[in-house]
């Protein structure tokens, strides 16, 4: 099932003709995209356009109905048929997930929230702890190691969530509206961290409603509406000279706001 695609060096993630429905409602229709290693792909679009469902399918949190998903040229999903459970678990170790509602363990300290997942995968506890301390420092959370999530602001909690995802040494990070639960000041804290990761060439797929951020940080932008990719391309082209009227309508709303 995981045989490799032949030819040029594969993209870290490739999705081809992906389909997904909930009962009779088709939410993803013939979705195809590629993410090159070291690049940032931003996915924008109105609510209900399928953005988060696409991300959840790529991370195996939703079951697709058809199409292909490949990581480094290896099939996790082929023609709507998934690889074995053991193979999917191996693929899962390649990516990290950051959600809009943080999903931290409330009864764990900040340090344990970050260090515990690697130890559950067999990493030495002290090594995991040392890396967690470094990651928290990188996130601007030095001195918060012994705090609990309820003692932190939303922006701090989201930065802990990013540190936790990075602790697993992922090859690619998925962000699902990472700032939607935050006020503008705290949003800036989180976007600053993601910008720093982009500068370090961390491969990322970001579902976002932060248009200036997507324009500045992305290598490629996808605009979705009605479960399809309406437009995709270089961020300057998509934002400054969109080809499709539906894209122009969507961006005008943000310009007025």
């Amino acid at each position: 099932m995981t045989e490799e695609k032949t030819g040029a060096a594969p993209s870290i993630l490739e999705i081809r003709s992906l389909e997904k429905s909930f009962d009779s409602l088709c939410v993803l229709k013939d979705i195809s995209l590629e993410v090159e290693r070291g690049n940032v792909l931003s996915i924008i679009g109105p609510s209900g356009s399928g953005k988060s469902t696409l991300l959840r399918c790529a991370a195996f949190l939703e079951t697709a109905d058809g199409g292909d998903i490949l990581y480094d040229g290896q099939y996790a999903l082929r023609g709507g048929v998934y690889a074995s459970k053991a193979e999917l678990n191996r693929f899962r170790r390649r990516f990290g997930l950051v959600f809009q509602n943080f999903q931290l363990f409330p009864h764990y300290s900040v340090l344990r929230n970050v260090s515990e997942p690697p130890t559950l995968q067999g990493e030495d506890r002290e090594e995991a702890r040392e890396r967690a301390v470094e990651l928290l420092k990188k996130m601007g959370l030095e001195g918060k190691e012994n705090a609990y999530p309820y003692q932190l602001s939303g922006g701090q909690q989201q930065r802990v969530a990013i540190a936790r995802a990075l602790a697993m040494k992922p090859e690619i990070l998925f962000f699902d509206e990472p700032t939607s639960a935050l006020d503008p000041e705290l949003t800036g804290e989180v976007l600053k961290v993601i910008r720093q990761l982009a500068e370090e060439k961390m491969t990322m797929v970001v579902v976002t409603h932060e248009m200036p951020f997507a324009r500045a940080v992305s290598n490629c932008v996808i605009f979705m509406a009605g479960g399809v990719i309406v437009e995709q391309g270089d961020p300057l082209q998509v934002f400054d000279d969109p080809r499709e009227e539906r894209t122009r309508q969507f961006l005008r709303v943000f310009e007025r706001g």
Side-chain angles (χ1 to χ4, degrees), residues 34-242:
E34 292 189 48
V35 183
E36 301 293 332
R37 191 175 295 275
N39 282 1
V40 179
L41 169 67
S42 288
I43 304 174
I44 63 173
S47 297
S49 60
K51 308 183 299 297
S52 292
T53 301
L54 171 57
L55 204 65
R56 290 176 64 83
C57 284
F60 316 131
L61 296 174
E62 296 285 357
T63 302
D65 299 320
D68 303 334
I69 299 175
L70 300 91
Y71 282 93
D72 271 338
Q74 294 186 319
Y75 286 94
L77 173 72
R78 188 172 192 176
V81 179
Y82 281 91
S84 68
K85 184 176 180 180
E87 289 172 325
L88 289 181
N89 284 336
R90 181 168 56 83
F91 284 119
R92 284 188 179 97
R93 293 175 184 172
R94 307 187 77 152
F95 55 76
L97 300 165
V98 180
F99 302 94
Q100 56 184 285
N101 58 351
F102 322 137
Q103 296 198 359
L104 301 177
F105 297 110
H107 55 294
Y108 285 1
S109 69
V110 165
L111 183 61
R112 190 175 177 190
N113 261 284
V114 178
S115 64
E116 187 80 358
T119 64
L120 295 176
Q121 296 293 336
E123 185 170 331
D124 177 78
R125 186 169 295 275
E126 188 55 34
E127 289 180 6
R129 184 184 182 281
E130 289 176 2
R131 190 163 73 259
V133 168
E134 288 302 311
L135 285 168
L136 290 169
K137 183 177 180 180
K138 180 177 181 178
M139 296 295 116
L141 294 168
E142 192 172 12
K144 298 291 186 181
E145 294 86 354
N146 296 320
Y148 285 82
Y150 78 90
Q151 297 173 307
L152 304 179
S153 70
Q156 289 171 328
Q157 290 185 59
Q158 192 61 291
R159 283 181 280 153
V160 174
I162 296 171
R164 181 180 60 184
L166 290 171
M168 299 299 292
K169 302 178 182 177
E171 297 175 46
I172 182 170
L173 275 181
F174 294 131
F175 291 87
D176 186 11
E177 296 279 13
T179 62
S180 65
L182 306 176
D183 65 35
E185 184 176 356
L186 300 181
T187 291
E189 295 177 7
V190 174
L191 295 182
K192 180 179 178 181
V193 168
I194 301 175
R195 285 174 185 267
Q196 179 183 349
L197 293 173
E199 291 170 0
E200 296 170 359
K201 298 300 182 184
M202 181 76 211
T203 310
M204 294 182 283
V205 178
V206 186
V207 171
T208 184
H209 59 275
E210 299 290 340
M211 299 301 124
F213 166 80
R215 186 182 186 279
V217 173
S218 309
N219 300 96
C220 179
V221 172
I222 283 175
F223 170 65
M224 291 183 65
V228 302
I229 293 177
V230 175
E231 186 159 359
Q232 63 179 308
D234 175 272
L236 298 183
Q237 178 266 306
V238 172
F239 284 106
D240 296 349
D241 189 24

